[in-house]
Amino acid sequence: MSTTAPDVLRRTYVDTSWGQLHAVTAGDSGPWIGLLHESPLSSEVWLDVVRALAGRARVVAFDTPGYGASSPPPREGFELGDYAAVIAEACTALGMEAPVFAGVHTGAALAVELCHLVPDTAGIVLSGISLFSPEQRDEFIAGWTPPVPTDLDGAQFDWAVERYTRIWPELTPELLHVAAMQLLRVKDRYHWGYQAAFRHDPRELLRTAACPVLLLDAEHDMLAFADAEAMELAQDGRLEILPGLPGQPHLRVPETYADHLVAFALECASTKETI
């Protein structure tokens, strides 16, 4: 008989208007926490955070529609609010109450949307919120999601390696593997959610968010330039910087990220109880 402890992770599918949404869950008590990944990856980037939270929260790491194992939108061209509405359907089906939503890059924009779609949202945690200027927006839309080359010589693999070596500083073999494999899993539609995120401007939704906002950011994240403006927009905002990190705090320091996240979730739950 094996003496290895069973993994705390559970995988589930939820029926939605866009088909089935896949999620990784853990924990049976504590505050509800929903985790939202960056494009074009999946809940795989959250697994260490989910394990770190399992004994302290009821956590759900979603695959955004069209990524990971979730069904895609019916077609290309939907807006980020449409993606968020489908995730909100899954939150209802899973019975999430007073959740805190935490997201990275595209996931951060989804968290801002969800705090308006899920009425009892207790708080949101944003790691890299995209507050682009018109010029930055146009640049990302035009240049960030070129087609993936594919041939029998493995051009798609070389392309993915080059891409992440270029855009993720201080890359490790483990980070490269998870990023490249999740992108290539959806290579023919990897740009769908990306482009929706680039078109999306979360400023008004962030300004009108009625719940507390935690900006939990890597010091050198490529979107960290937006933190100052985000703090001005948020009605109840705070900024916590994870020093020295080039990005991807959930992957590079998952236990630290989880500690900040659960402390904020418990604080939000306590505040709601006293109102």
Side-chain angles (χ1 to χ4, degrees):
M1 174 184 288
S2 173
T3 58
T4 302
D7 198 339
V8 297
L9 303 181
R10 300 185 294 272
R11 296 181 183 271
T12 188
Y13 287 87
V14 181
D15 291 328
T16 74
S17 56
W18 281 358
Q20 290 198 311
L21 196 75
H22 174 256
V24 177
T25 70
D28 299 312
S29 62
W32 283 96
I33 296 176
L35 302 175
L36 305 153
H37 63 82
E38 62 272 59
S39 298
L41 307 181
S42 76
S43 58
E44 294 296 305
V45 301
W46 288 112
L47 297 188
D48 286 341
V49 173
V50 174
R51 291 187 179 100
L53 290 171
R56 299 179 283 175
R58 291 170 287 186
V59 59
V60 183
F62 296 99
D63 285 357
T64 302
Y67 295 110
S70 287
S71 301
R75 55 173 173 77
E76 184 179 357
F78 283 92
E79 300 303 332
L80 203 69
D82 301 314
Y83 284 80
V86 172
I87 297 172
E89 292 178 32
C91 293
T92 299
L94 291 168
M96 297 179 71
E97 298 179 353
V100 167
F101 293 108
V104 177
H105 289 209
T106 300
L110 286 168
V112 176
E113 285 277 355
L114 283 166
C115 79
H116 290 268
L117 293 171
V118 178
D120 64 342
T121 297
I124 54 176
V125 179
L126 313 178
S127 299
I129 185 67
S130 53
L131 301 179
F132 294 135
S133 68
E135 295 75 20
Q136 288 170 322
R137 190 177 311 282
D138 290 345
E139 182 179 351
F140 275 100
I141 288 173
W144 197 254
T145 59
V148 181
T150 305
D151 60 31
L152 288 174
D153 292 325
Q156 60 271 38
F157 302 108
D158 291 338
W159 180 89
V161 168
E162 187 282 329
R163 178 182 179 88
Y164 278 101
T165 301
R166 173 168 42 86
I167 69 174
W168 279 16
E170 301 176 29
L171 197 64
T172 66
E174 293 77 17
L175 289 174
L176 174 60
H177 180 79
V178 70
M181 295 307 295
Q182 295 308 306
L183 185 157
L184 291 174
R185 183 178 185 178
V186 295
K187 66 180 182 62
D188 293 332
R189 60 172 184 268
Y190 89 100
H191 59 290
W192 289 17
Y194 254 143
Q195 290 290 322
F198 297 151
R199 294 191 299 268
H200 185 262
D201 187 345
R203 286 179 172 86
E204 182 61 18
L205 290 172
L206 182 56
R207 186 186 68 80
T208 55
C211 63
V213 178
L214 171 61
L215 300 171
L216 180 58
D217 217 353
E219 182 178 6
H220 304 296
D221 189 281
M222 65 181 296
L223 298 180
F225 68 86
D227 287 344
E229 183 182 357
M231 282 293 292
E232 293 178 359
L233 289 168
Q235 297 179 36
D236 182 4
R238 71 192 70 175
L239 175 62
E240 295 183 16
I241 297 295
L242 300 174
L245 293 181
Q248 303 80 47
H250 54 317
L251 282 164
R252 298 178 192 265
V253 288
E255 292 84 7
T256 299
Y257 192 96
D259 288 344
H260 282 278
L261 182 51
V262 76
F264 179 71
L266 289 169
E267 180 183 335
C268 290
S270 176
T271 300
K272 285 183 75 71
E273 289 174 0
T274 59
I275 292 176

